[in-house]
């Protein structure tokens, strides 16, 4: 059997795929297809087959038909942005469906109003199949034949019939393949239909399943074999290989605050010192019935609970958003879905099925014996409890109400529990289990809550109400401190609090050197939720808005309206403070599934930053229009990433001017360039003759100047931006800017280091854009120095022979 009739999935207007107002679908980038504009809110299977995937947002479904063809049906355009609102999945991955079976129910009016369009592309996602449409351009009823799909391989099992292609690559990511890298691998395969497996240590796993990948227990420097089968196997395997070779995107995610314990078993999860009273948090499992109340009912209940938990995931900070993304991937994991579906099909309740699925995945991870992966067991336990709580009608797993100065002790703590705690009252956390790279430790570090992990079972016996000293900087817990120890710890705590309070009290005043040279201190931001904290910490504006966070981890690019809304909220939250919006910095090591970019051997040297924007002017124009119409001209600055020379600046300037003219904006909008390449640093004088400002991205400038990949743990010890080679390049930037009367600043990681501040000022930088938390201490550091001393220090630093020598000189002078 190789020809399958396709039936209309709902009543509506049936047309060619070319009619879909979206270049990705209309241009057949995802495959050939057709479209139906629905007039009813129930999507049915166009043919018999198996459900491959339904995203947590339930706005689309992928089916594998009985002739092996894979069909993607995407309800409306850009509907992923609705986050599942208005959609209910009626089936889960792995379900067998007959032609005409209902798959997704959706609220036609609500979705129609909120989405860009309701027109629904139906796309054949794998190669080797020919689609013949039956008279497109007419109204159809649900179930009416709209075409035929003939397969090259009769009786094929989908992609398995195509080409097979393998590659063997070493894993460079510092922590191997843990949850976030696994989720990134799975996400990178979204544009491909091939079946892809990863094999290591004699085991093999479905590369689209985060859970299965975790079960492999791959550590840093292990080699993995990536094998793809199917028409686009080569592209899929190359995409995964490129991602792994680029370090699996872990450089940006690593928390600098997390470091191992100097001694003993306990480990620092988040630094800091705390004195407080113990509260023990004991986990209780909610009871779920073993038997289900009917397969269809339980299936639907589970799908709804999964969607509800996924929709509730999120968080203000970038760290919380990343973790939410990894959890979302676990909720949509095909292996977990398969395991739960098997239990439900055997008559079990949704809660029992979900618990069985998550626990057996956790057991598989435990069996790897890898201490780092063990921490992912906590993520699975978290999702087990959240979904079960939802099934039982609770909003979220319970956390205790805590008194001020609480030190919370638990066997382990779940990210959702941490987020639900009253953090103003939480002095510190100690967990018997867990590890320093567990998600909850990353959250604690970014919230400034000291945390000790892997402290051992004994901590669970510390009586509630007892006053203890948690010295996470030294990875120590004093469970029974004497009067002397308490007095000494109180004094240290008071000193550091005083210093922080002093810095904070002075943080909103402008910063200037001791002899009056004004230095602007800005904050680097990625989301509107970060603005109030940054302003309270004394940020005078935003020196770098990383707009790419809006473009990553999603199925389609954000449209102009969505971008406008985000930029407008950030600009409004900043009041009239300057906002420097960096244009899209994706490509290379930050792949996005909806941009069909070729895999690159050296992504850091490939099509990224401004190069990608100039190669895809459609994206750039949309972004520029959104920025200009959202951010008032008096506040708005545009900044270009990864610039090499004037030609790129000129091309971008022409597009900016064109967008301004089209929007009728007469006021000039400053256009700056990031200095991230040695070429741009050496040509800083030329760039400054046409750019309105220069801002040094020390993260990239350091990796390119020192030829040390910022995502490669093997060379991370070399990556110190205080290297004299980098400082000499920054000196060129200061000189070039001064020659043309422009300002120059730094927005890379070096700007957050108070030790570097006088050197950067001495090199001619008059603006520093740091992480919000670093602003008060940075302003305090600036005020301690006179400009002439900064210049002398900078010259000594440039004459040094190594970064360590520069650090020694700066600390000594301090
Ligand atoms: C940099 O490279 O220093 C920079 C600020 O850009 P990003 O870290 O986003 O690449
Ligand atoms: Mg950069």
């Amino acid at each position: 059997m190789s020809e399958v009739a396709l039936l209309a999935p709902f009543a509506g207007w049936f047309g060619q795929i070319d009619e879909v107002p979206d270049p990705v679908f209309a241009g057949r980038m995802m495959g050939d297809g057709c479209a139906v504009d629905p007039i009813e809110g129930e999507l049915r299977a166009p043919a018999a087959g198996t459900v491959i995937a339904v995203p947590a947002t339930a706005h689309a479904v992928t089916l594998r038909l009985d002739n092996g063809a894979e069909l993607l049906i995407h309800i409306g355009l850009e509907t992923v942005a609705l986050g599942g609102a208005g959609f209910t999945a009626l089936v889960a991955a792995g379900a067998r469906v007959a032609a005409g079976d209902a798959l997704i129910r959706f609220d036609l009016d609500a979705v129609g109003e909120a989405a860009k369009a309701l027109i629904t592309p139906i796309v054949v996602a794998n190669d080797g199949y020919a689609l013949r449409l039956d008279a497109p351009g007419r109204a159809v009823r649900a179930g009416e034949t709209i075409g035929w799909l003939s397969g090259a391989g009769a009786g094929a099992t989908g992609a398995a019939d195509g080409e097979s292609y393998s590659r063997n690559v070493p894993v460079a990511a510092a922590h191997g393949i843990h949850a976030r890298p696994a989720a990134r691998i799975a996400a990178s395969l979204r544009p491909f239909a091939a079946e892809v497996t990863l094999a290591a240590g004699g085991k093999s796993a479905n590369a689209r399943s985060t859970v299965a990948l975790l079960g492999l227990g791959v550590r840093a420097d292990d080699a993995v074999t990536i094998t793809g089968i199917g028409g686009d196997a080569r592209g899929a395997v190359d995409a995964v290989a490129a991602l792994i070779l680029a370090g699996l995107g872990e450089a940006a995610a690593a928390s600098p605050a997390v470091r191992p314990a100097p001694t003993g078993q306990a480990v620092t999860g988040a630094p800091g010192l705390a004195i407080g009273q113990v509260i023990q948090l004991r986990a209780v499992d909610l009871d779920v019935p073993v038997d289900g109340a009917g397969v269809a009912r339980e299936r639907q209940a589970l799908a709804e609970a999964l969607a509800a938990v996924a929709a509730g995931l999120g968080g203000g900070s970038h760290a919380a958003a990343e973790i939410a993304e990894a959890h979302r991937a676990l909720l949509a994991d095909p292996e977990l879905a398969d395991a739960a579906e098997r239990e439900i099909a055997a008559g079990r309740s949704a809660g029992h099925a979900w618990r069985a699925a998550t626990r057996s995945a956790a057991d598989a991870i435990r069996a790897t014996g890898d201490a780092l992966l063990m921490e992912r067991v906590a993520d699975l336990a978290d999702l087990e409890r959240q979904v079960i709580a939802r099934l039982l009608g609770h909003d979220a797993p319970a956390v205790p109400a805590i008194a001020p100065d609480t030190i919370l002790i638990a066997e382990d703590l779940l990210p959702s529990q941490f987020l639900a705690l009253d953090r103003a009252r939480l002095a510190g956390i100690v967990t018997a289990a867990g590890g320093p790279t567990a998600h909850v430790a990353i959250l604690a570090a970014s919230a400034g809550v000291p945390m000790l992990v892997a402290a051992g079972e004994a901590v669970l016996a510390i009586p509630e109400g007892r006053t203890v000293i948690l010295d996470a900087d030294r990875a120590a817990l004093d469970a029974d401190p004497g009067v002397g120890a308490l007095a000494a710890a109180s004094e240290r705590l008071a000193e550091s609090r005083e210093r922080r309070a002093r810095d904070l009290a002075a943080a909103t005043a402008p910063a200037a050197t001791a002899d009056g040279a004004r230095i602007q201190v800005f904050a680097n931001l990625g989301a509107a939720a970060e603005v109030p904290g940054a302003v309270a910490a004394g940020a005078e504006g935003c020196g770098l808005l990383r707009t790419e966070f809006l473009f990553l981890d999603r199925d389609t690019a954000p449209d102009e309206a969505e971008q406008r809304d985000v930029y407008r909220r950030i600009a409004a939250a900043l009041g009239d403070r300057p906002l420097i919006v960096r244009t899209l910095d994706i490509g290379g090591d930050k792949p996005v599934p909806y941009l069909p970019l070729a895999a690159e051997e050296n992504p850091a040297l490939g099509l990224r930053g401004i190069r990608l924007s100039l190669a895809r002017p459609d994206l750039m124009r949309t972004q520029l229009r959104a920025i200009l119409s959202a951010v008032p001209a008096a506040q708005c600055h545009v900044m270009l990433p990864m610039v090499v020379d004037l030609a790129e600046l000129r091309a971008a300037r022409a597009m900016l001017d064109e967008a301004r003219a089209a929007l009728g904006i007469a006021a000039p909008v400053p256009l700056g360039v990031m200095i991230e390449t040695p070429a741009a640093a050496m040509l800083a004088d030329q760039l400054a003759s046409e750019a309105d400002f220069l801002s040094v991205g020390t993260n990239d400038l350091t990796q390119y100047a020192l030829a040390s990949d910022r995502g490669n743990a093997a060379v991370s010890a070399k990556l110190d931006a205080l290297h004299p080679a980098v400082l000499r390049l920054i000196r060129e930037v200061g000189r070039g800017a001064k020659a043309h009367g422009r300002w120059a600043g730094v927005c890379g990681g070096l700007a957050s280091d108070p030790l570097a501040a006088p050197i950067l000022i001495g090199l001619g930088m008059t603006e520093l854009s740091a992480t919000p938390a670093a602003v008060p201490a940075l302003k305090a550091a600036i005020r301690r120095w006179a400009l002439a001393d900064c210049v002398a220090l900078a010259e000594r630093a440039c004459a040094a022979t190594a970064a360590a020598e520069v650090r020694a000189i700066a600390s000594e002078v301090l």
Side-chain angles (χ1 to χ4, degrees):
M1 175 198 60
S2 65
E3 186 160 272
V4 167
L6 289 186
L7 312 182
F10 31 47
W13 183 262
F14 160 54
Q16 309 260 16
I17 190 82
D18 317 62
E19 291 166 24
V20 177
D22 181 316
V24 173
F25 288 111
R28 293 177 168 74
M29 289 182 201
M30 299 177 78
D32 195 12
C34 59
V36 179
D37 207 345
I39 53 168
E40 61 180 350
E42 189 162 87
L43 173 81
R44 288 168 224 171
T50 307
V51 177
I52 302 175
V54 186
T57 42
H59 67 289
V61 58
T62 325
L63 295 176
R64 179 174 296 128
L65 307 188
D66 290 341
N67 67 347
E70 292 181 0
L71 222 52
L72 165 72
I73 312 173
H74 193 284
I75 303 173
L77 297 181
E78 300 182 14
T79 37
V80 67
L82 304 185
F87 294 95
T88 307
L90 306 177
V91 290
R96 169 88 206 143
V97 294
D101 277 0
L103 306 178
I104 295 172
R105 193 165 300 132
F106 58 102
D107 183 330
L108 192 71
D109 294 336
V111 173
E113 207 152 276
K116 180 175 166 191
L118 266 177
I119 189 164
T120 295
I122 303 168
V123 174
V124 187
N126 52 348
D127 292 341
Y129 294 86
L131 178 67
R132 192 156 51 87
L133 299 182
D134 184 5
R138 63 187 163 103
V140 289
R141 281 171 287 116
E144 212 172 294
T145 301
I146 54 174
W148 298 269
L149 199 51
S150 48
T157 52
D161 261 14
E163 175 200 3
S164 164
Y165 176 65
S166 287
R167 278 181 71 176
N168 194 274
V169 292
V171 174
H175 301 307
I177 298 183
H178 65 90
R180 270 173 287 126
R184 285 193 188 105
I185 291 174
S188 75
L189 286 169
R190 273 186 223 144
F192 301 99
E195 282 175 14
V196 182
T197 54
L198 238 70
K203 290 188 278 183
S204 155
N206 175 357
R208 292 178 195 270
S209 164
T210 308
V211 164
L213 290 175
L214 292 182
L216 286 180
V218 174
R219 299 164 197 232
D221 299 330
D222 283 356
V224 293
T225 305
I226 316 158
T227 303
I229 303 173
D232 56 2
R234 185 175 285 268
V237 170
D238 284 344
V240 174
L243 186 63
I244 292 177
L245 289 170
L248 287 161
E250 279 303 83
S255 165
V258 168
R259 51 203 148 95
T263 53
Q265 185 205 3
V267 175
T268 302
L273 175 69
I275 302 174
Q277 287 75 45
V278 168
I279 286 190
Q280 295 277 358
L281 175 69
R282 318 224 184 257
V284 273
D285 279 342
L286 294 167
D287 284 336
V288 287
V290 175
D291 296 326
V295 172
R297 211 158 125 185
E298 297 296 337
R299 198 180 272 153
Q300 182 168 349
L302 181 58
E304 284 173 6
L306 290 172
V309 172
L313 291 172
S317 72
H318 180 49
E322 276 229 344
I323 290 164
E325 191 51 39
H327 279 189
R328 229 172 259 129
L330 283 173
L331 288 169
D333 192 278
E335 301 265 317
L336 277 181
D338 276 356
E341 171 61 24
R342 279 195 299 276
E343 292 282 330
I344 290 178
R348 308 281 179 256
S349 75
H352 182 91
W354 180 246
R355 180 168 281 163
T358 49
R359 291 203 174 170
S360 85
D363 286 345
I365 293 171
R366 274 193 204 96
T368 64
D370 182 321
L372 273 171
L373 287 183
M374 263 359 136
E375 295 157 8
R376 263 65 254 188
V377 170
D379 293 331
L380 281 165
D382 191 1
L383 293 175
E384 175 198 319
R385 284 178 218 172
Q386 287 194 64
V387 171
I388 287 177
R390 188 62 70 153
L391 282 165
L392 296 175
H394 306 299
D395 277 349
V399 292
I402 55 174
D405 292 326
T406 289
I407 301 228
L408 193 77
I409 301 185
E411 170 68 30
D412 207 349
L413 194 67
L414 308 172
S416 62
Q417 288 174 312
F418 176 82
L419 292 171
L421 285 164
D422 180 352
R423 268 162 278 164
R425 295 175 159 220
L426 189 62
I429 304 170
V430 179
T431 58
T437 57
H439 284 147
V440 68
I442 294 173
L443 288 175
S446 73
V449 177
M451 181 174 186
L452 204 60
V453 298
E457 296 292 311
V459 297
L460 301 176
I462 300 173
E464 290 202 322
R466 166 85 64 83
T467 298
V468 298
I469 301 171
L470 165 59
D471 187 348
D473 293 329
R474 295 177 189 159
L477 176 73
D478 188 343
D480 198 5
V483 182
L486 275 173
S490 303
E491 204 172 309
R492 269 181 60 211
L493 201 56
E495 267 167 26
S496 79
R497 273 196 191 135
E498 249 169 52
R499 197 177 45 247
R500 267 209 315 273
R502 252 196 330 268
D503 292 352
L504 196 59
T508 46
T513 56
D515 51 352
R518 177 84 170 86
I519 306 295
Q520 287 189 302
V521 181
F522 285 3
N524 293 350
L525 300 172
E530 294 169 1
V531 178
V535 169
E540 298 165 66
C542 170
L544 166 64
L545 176 65
R546 287 185 161 104
T547 59
E548 58 274 11
F549 291 154
L550 188 57
F551 288 75
L552 300 174
D553 292 324
R554 49 189 294 156
D555 294 328
T556 54
D559 66 7
E560 191 177 326
E562 184 181 349
Q563 290 189 51
R564 205 168 39 230
D565 179 51
V566 173
Y567 306 150
R568 185 172 285 151
R569 278 190 288 123
I570 293 171
L574 278 167
D576 54 5
R577 296 173 181 84
L579 168 54
I580 302 181
V581 187
R582 173 170 78 181
T583 58
L584 198 50
D585 187 18
I586 52 172
D589 62 335
K590 295 178 194 159
V592 288
Y594 48 85
L595 282 185
L597 300 172
E600 297 178 315
E601 192 84 1
N602 287 304
L605 306 180
L607 198 61
R608 57 169 297 203
I610 186 69
R611 302 170 186 186
L612 177 65
S613 294
L614 294 178
R616 286 291 308 264
D618 53 324
L619 288 177
M620 176 79 156
R621 286 199 182 97
T622 304
Q623 185 172 37
L624 289 174
R625 271 198 313 271
I627 295 169
L628 292 173
S629 50
V631 186
Q635 191 183 5
C636 186
H637 297 61
V638 176
M639 182 163 77
L640 309 169
M642 291 298 300
V643 167
V644 164
D645 56 27
L646 270 176
E648 289 157 334
L649 171 61
R650 285 177 181 158
R653 167 88 69 194
M655 289 169 84
L656 181 67
D657 288 346
E658 191 186 296
R660 271 177 53 225
L663 292 166
I665 297 172
V669 172
L671 177 65
V673 294
M674 288 189 74
I675 306 293
E676 299 185 281
T677 62
M682 295 311 294
L683 298 178
D685 60 331
Q686 294 179 4
L687 289 166
S689 71
E690 296 190 22
D692 295 299
F693 60 93
L694 309 179
S695 182
V696 184
T698 49
N699 306 334
D700 276 313
L701 184 62
T702 308
Q703 80 159 341
Y704 295 129
L706 303 182
S708 299
D709 183 345
R710 65 192 268 193
N712 182 345
V715 294
S716 60
K718 292 192 179 302
L719 268 175
D720 189 335
L722 278 179
H723 194 287
V726 181
L727 297 179
R728 289 184 187 202
L729 288 169
I730 299 176
R731 185 167 62 183
E732 292 303 310
V733 180
R735 287 174 179 164
K738 192 169 173 201
H740 294 278
R742 308 294 186 200
W743 65 262
V746 178
C747 63
L750 193 62
S752 299
D753 184 348
L755 196 67
I759 300 176
L760 295 174
I761 293 167
L763 294 172
M765 304 295 112
T766 57
E767 179 252 20
L768 299 175
S769 191
T771 57
V775 169
L778 196 56
K779 284 190 168 179
I782 292 166
R783 293 182 184 122
R784 280 197 286 273
W785 289 83
L787 186 57
D789 295 335
C790 292
V791 172
L793 177 66
E795 277 314 309
R796 282 183 68 194
C798 285
T801 56
E805 196 181 323
V806 175
R807 287 197 177 274
I809 294 169
S811 320
E812 173 204 307
V813 177
L814 205 70

